[in-house]
Amino acid sequence: MNDVHPRRRWLSRLGASLLSVAVLSPTVQAQPAAAAAPCDKPVYLTFDTGHMGVAPLIADTLRRFDAKATFFLAQEPTKDGGQTLDDKWAPWWKALAEQGHDFGSHTWYHDAWVADLPDGRFRFRRAAGEQPPQIVEMSAADYCEELKQPARRFADMTGRPMSMIFRAPAGRTSPALLAAARACGFRHVGWAQPAGFLGDELPSDRFPNQALLEQALRRIKPGDILMAHLGIWSRQDPWAPAVLQPLLQGLKDRGMCFAPLREHPDYAQWMRKPAESLAMMRPRKLN
């Protein structure tokens, strides 16, 4: 019994000594994080809105790969019976903005260009999700409002301005439509042809996920803009995350990295321009 306390004192001194060595030893001391390697073989991931059923999975996959992307926003129906830009999804969009992604307009009603009209107006096919399509006609001023409305809603949800870029639904445009959009401050963003079309909106019985993955890995090259959606109603075998995760891993294994459009040489200067103020984004007064 007489040696219990001395032994405890010895163990205490030994523990303190080992702790001191562990803290001071350069082999175990915490090292500062290495600087991220420059992105010299970038590809540019972009996502258009969709039914949002896979949106959280897509965001988680991007986060795991430290991949920055660009999202194009429209007010589309969601699988939960809401809409992509409603109050339920507002915190999700705000979190994406805080993670450093880029954002652009996809028109408010997901209006796909059909034709230029002789009087200077445009004809569109309005359809989103499983809604029955409608044919609508708009002036250039009306179309400008269609582009600005997602930007206003994005600012309401996130407290941040949206970049003055847009993607026309289905990628359908005309020179006159692009000129109308440019006149109100928006520049169009397409995708690399054919590699950038990732195929998530194709029927899965004819274009299975494995075939889409192999095709993408075969075609994509540095500098390409890639396009997919936050859920496609008609595809029975969801593209994400089944294809997205192995696609990002495969591209990474080939030395590629993932950058937002603000780093793309064709858009960097445009996206550095200050976005229109919220006052300029206010809806125009109708006569």
Side-chain angles (χ1 to χ4, degrees), residues 2 38 80 89 105 114 119-120 134-135 168 186 225 233:
N2 292 335
D80 61 7
W89 284 99
S105 177
V114 173
D119 60 2
Q134 303 174 354
I135 298 298
F186 285 88
I225 296 174
W233 290 86

Side-chain angles (χ1 to χ4, degrees), residues 68-146:
K68 297 297 182 284
T70 303
F71 296 83
F72 291 94
L73 280 58
Q75 181 75 313
E76 300 190 51
T78 59
K79 278 198 166 182
D80 61 7
Q83 294 180 303
T84 52
L85 306 182
D86 63 20
D87 289 343
K88 175 182 176 178
W89 284 99
W92 189 81
W93 291 114
K94 184 175 182 180
L96 282 187
E98 291 170 349
Q99 292 164 20
H101 299 286
D102 284 340
F103 302 86
S105 177
H106 197 39
T107 76
W108 184 252
Y109 289 112
H110 201 264
D111 290 325
W113 175 87
V114 173
D116 299 337
L117 299 179
D119 60 2
R121 294 182 303 149
F122 305 99
R123 180 172 294 138
F124 298 90
R125 183 178 185 270
R126 177 170 293 177
E130 296 182 314
Q131 295 174 337
Q134 303 174 354
I135 298 298
V136 298
E137 295 178 359
M138 282 185 271
S139 67
D142 294 332
Y143 190 66
C144 185
E145 286 300 305
E146 273 285 290

Side-chain angles (χ1 to χ4, degrees), residues 11 17 37 46 49 88 105 131 133-134 157 217 219 245 275 287:
L11 289 173
S17 176
T46 71
T49 41
K88 175 182 176 178
S105 177
Q131 295 174 337
Q134 303 174 354
M157 294 189 296
L217 290 173
R219 288 178 170 181
Q245 182 165 329
N287 296 327

Side-chain angles (χ1 to χ4, degrees), residues 29-244:
Q29 194 172 13
Q31 299 296 316
C39 187
D40 57 353
K41 292 182 179 180
V43 291
Y44 303 89
L45 298 166
T46 71
F47 294 90
D48 299 348
T49 41
H51 62 53
M52 304 298 279
V54 296
L57 296 173
I58 288 174
D60 288 344
T61 303
L62 294 176
R63 189 161 49 247
R64 288 199 304 274
F65 281 86
D66 192 26
K68 297 297 182 284
T70 303
F71 296 83
F72 291 94
L73 280 58
Q75 181 75 313
E76 300 190 51
T78 59
K79 278 198 166 182
D80 61 7
Q83 294 180 303
T84 52
L85 306 182
D86 63 20
D87 289 343
K88 175 182 176 178
W89 284 99
W92 189 81
W93 291 114
K94 184 175 182 180
L96 282 187
E98 291 170 349
Q99 292 164 20
H101 299 286
D102 284 340
F103 302 86
S105 177
H106 197 39
T107 76
W108 184 252
Y109 289 112
H110 201 264
D111 290 325
W113 175 87
V114 173
D116 299 337
L117 299 179
D119 60 2
R121 294 182 303 149
F122 305 99
R123 180 172 294 138
F124 298 90
R125 183 178 185 270
R126 177 170 293 177
E130 296 182 314
Q131 295 174 337
Q134 303 174 354
I135 298 298
V136 298
E137 295 178 359
M138 282 185 271
S139 67
D142 294 332
Y143 190 66
C144 185
E145 286 300 305
E146 273 285 290
L147 296 176
K148 288 183 176 182
Q149 198 164 345
R152 286 193 291 267
R153 179 57 182 156
F154 179 78
D156 289 342
M157 294 189 296
T158 68
R160 300 172 185 235
M162 176 183 279
S163 296
M164 302 297 286
I165 55 175
F166 82 106
R167 170 169 291 150
R172 294 179 59 86
T173 65
S174 71
L177 187 74
L178 295 179
R182 194 89 172 228
C184 69
F186 285 88
R187 183 172 174 188
H188 188 251
V189 177
W191 55 85
Q193 295 288 355
F197 179 73
L198 297 178
D200 63 331
E201 58 191 295
L202 298 173
S204 52
D205 57 341
R206 293 167 48 207
F207 301 91
N209 283 333
Q210 186 61 33
L212 293 179
L213 172 63
E214 293 171 359
Q215 176 177 270
L217 290 173
R218 188 169 61 249
R219 288 178 170 181
I220 293 170
K221 62 185 183 302
D224 282 347
I225 296 174
L226 315 181
M227 185 276 293
H229 300 79
L230 299 178
I232 292 293
W233 290 86
S234 60
R235 189 170 178 85
Q236 296 185 357
D237 186 12
W239 179 89
V243 176
L244 181 60

